Amino acid sequence: MGKSTTPASVRIRTDDGNEWRFRSIEKAADFYDCNRSDAVAYACEDLVSQVAAAKKILERDDLTAEQRQEMAETLSTRAVTFEIETEIETMKG
């Protein structure tokens, strides 16, 4: 039987200017109504799903460029930024 590569615990530094991390974890625990460890795991899993969903929405063909830009600005956070690129092609006759 092989040894697991999953550590028994993971430490998150909350000292020396990183106090915001603890406050964020506390907010997540309140939001999910669970303990801090589960809140961190839930938030990590949800982030990946939410970013994928946001990308899918921003790629919809029925949105105008202005709508996409507004949504990208609204969905962007300190850690995740969505940018809209508009491509213009010229065809020679």
Side-chain angles (χ1 to χ4, degrees):
M1 193 180 272
K3 193 175 185 181
S4 174
T5 59
T6 304
S9 65
V10 176
R11 188 171 105 177
I12 298 174
R13 290 191 166 281
T14 57
D15 60 349
D16 297 330
N18 293 311
E19 294 83 3
W20 66 272
R21 291 177 178 174
F22 185 74
R23 290 189 302 274
S24 294
I25 293 167
E26 287 286 296
K27 286 181 199 175
D30 288 343
F31 176 79
Y32 288 112
D33 192 25
C34 64
N35 64 48
R36 291 187 295 262
S37 295
D38 285 343
V40 170
Y42 295 157
C44 291
E45 288 186 0
D46 284 353
L47 173 68
V48 174
S49 297
Q50 294 296 322
V51 168
K55 285 181 179 180
K56 186 175 180 180
I57 290 169
L58 292 171
E59 291 172 351
R60 288 177 30 184
D61 290 337
D62 61 332
L63 299 172
T64 66
E66 184 178 334
Q67 288 171 320
R68 282 190 181 107
Q69 184 61 42
E70 184 177 319
M71 292 171 81
E73 289 171 9
T74 300
L75 294 169
S76 292
T77 65
R78 171 174 67 167
V80 178
T81 303
F82 295 93
E83 294 182 8
I84 304 300
E85 294 181 8
T86 305
E87 186 176 309
I88 300 172
E89 292 184 32
T90 305
M91 311 226 9
K92 292 184 180 181

